[in-house]
């Protein structure tokens, strides 16, 4: 691992609890494997994977405070579920505290929780790696989704979005409009018929 990644790794370890750090390493390595498979930049994928949850272990109040400090908009759903803020706040911290200059990495961190329509290959890789890393609890259809990740990245993305929305509906959690928008976009793009 190069020096820059090594330095970021040391810093983020001190910002996360043990379980989150383990998850982070899982995402970093799976992101690099997906980059190899789909012809993306490996170092970019590793950096984005390493930093994607850098704001995760900040308290809800802390997240809101920092978003205000950095002039990041907080939507109604985000106020109700401050955990959602770790994506946009993480993107901002990556630039400010980890000195990431690469806008593609920053965008992949920002979109890793809800996704967005027309994601770049790097964004898809981080979104998927976050879901399938080996330490992740077993979610429905996980075996199939893990195979798809290396065979058909858009189909994989769609399956994750569909299962995530189903999970949020079942738990009666409020849906971030962007999660729905992303699902609708890829459903249309892939010509899916189901409701
Ligand atoms: O940070 P991780 O746990 O690794 O994964 P993540 O960034 O995908 O966050 C997962 C959490 O985000 C999970 O508890 C579900 C939640 N989430 C994702 N989309 C939505 C959402 N929560 C709400 N309320 N609404 C959403 O649309
Ligand atoms: Fe996350
Ligand atoms: Fe994560």
């Amino acid at each position: 691992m190069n020096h820059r990644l090594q330095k970021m790794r040391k810093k983020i370890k001190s910002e996360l609890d043990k379980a989150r750090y383990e998850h982070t390493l899982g995402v970093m390595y799976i992101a690099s494997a997906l980059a190899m498979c789909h012809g993306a930049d490996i170092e970019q994928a590793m950096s984005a994977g390493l930093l994607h949850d850098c704001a995760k272990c900040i308290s809800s109040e802390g997240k809101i405070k920092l978003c205000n400090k950095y002039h990041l908009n907080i939507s109604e759903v985000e106020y109700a579920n401050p955990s959602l803020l770790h994506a946009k706040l993480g993107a901002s911290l990556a630039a400010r505290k980890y000195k990431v200059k690469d806008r593609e990495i920053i965008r992949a961190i920002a979109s890793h929780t809800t996704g967005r329509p027309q994601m770049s290959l790097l964004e898809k890789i981080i979104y998927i790696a976050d879901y399938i890393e080996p330490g992740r609890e077993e979610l429905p259809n996980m075996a199939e989704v893990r195979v798809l990740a290396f065979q058909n990245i858009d189909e994989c993305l769609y399956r994750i979005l569909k299962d995530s929305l189903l999970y949020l509906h079942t738990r009666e959690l409020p849906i971030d409009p962007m999660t729905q928008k992303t699902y609708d976009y890829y459903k249309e793009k892939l010509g899916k018929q189901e409701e």
Side-chain angles (χ1 to χ4, degrees):
M1 196 183 298
N2 74 32
H3 180 64
R4 210 179 44 78
L5 270 169
Q6 203 70 258
K7 259 179 75 179
M8 291 199 301
R9 188 168 158 167
K10 214 171 145 189
K11 180 169 168 60
I12 197 163
K13 190 176 181 188
S14 72
E15 301 288 336
L16 302 177
D17 62 43
K18 192 159 185 315
R20 186 56 50 178
Y21 181 64
E22 293 297 322
H23 161 73
T24 286
L25 294 183
V27 173
M28 176 180 78
Y29 284 119
I30 295 301
S32 100
L34 288 170
M36 290 172 194
C37 177
H38 297 289
D41 186 280
I42 294 169
E43 193 187 328
Q44 224 183 12
M46 289 183 85
S47 304
L50 184 61
L51 296 180
H52 82 284
D53 274 342
C54 69
K56 186 84 178 183
C57 293
I58 299 169
S59 68
S60 291
E61 306 77 64
K63 284 192 191 85
I64 290 170
K65 256 194 197 157
L66 283 170
C67 282
N68 288 330
K69 180 173 167 190
Y70 297 144
H71 307 289
L72 302 170
N73 278 328
I74 304 177
S75 70
E76 228 167 278
V77 195
E78 288 168 339
Y79 261 119
N81 305 269
S83 172
L84 287 166
L85 291 172
H86 80 279
K88 65 169 72 167
L89 180 57
S92 182
L93 292 180
R96 291 166 192 274
K97 304 286 183 197
Y98 294 84
K99 307 290 176 216
V100 173
K101 304 269 182 289
D102 185 335
R103 302 306 304 177
E104 289 182 41
I105 293 175
I106 293 166
R107 199 173 53 173
I109 298 169
S111 64
H112 89 265
T113 300
T114 61
R116 65 174 186 94
Q118 292 185 283
M119 282 190 271
S120 67
L121 177 57
L122 180 68
E123 287 176 282
K124 291 175 189 173
I125 285 174
I126 298 305
Y127 184 88
I128 291 170
D130 190 24
Y131 193 87
I132 68 168
E133 67 94 1
R136 181 69 89 185
E137 57 170 315
E138 279 305 309
L139 296 164
N141 307 315
M142 191 60 122
E144 214 179 317
V145 168
R146 281 180 171 143
V147 173
L148 273 177
F150 294 89
Q151 292 183 339
N152 189 332
I153 199 163
D154 278 354
E155 195 66 40
C156 178
L157 192 60
Y158 173 74
R159 287 294 295 272
I160 295 175
L161 285 161
K162 189 167 153 234
D163 288 344
S164 297
L165 276 171
L166 195 64
Y167 168 85
L168 291 167
H169 279 299
T170 313
R171 301 269 314 261
E172 294 185 2
L173 293 165
I175 310 291
D176 188 302
M178 188 55 81
T179 307
Q180 186 67 48
K181 233 173 120 173
T182 309
Y183 171 73
D184 293 344
Y185 174 85
Y186 284 99
K187 183 180 166 199
E188 165 87 28
K189 185 172 184 227
L190 300 182
K192 298 290 181 184
Q193 294 305 317
E194 62 249 21
E195 51 77 73

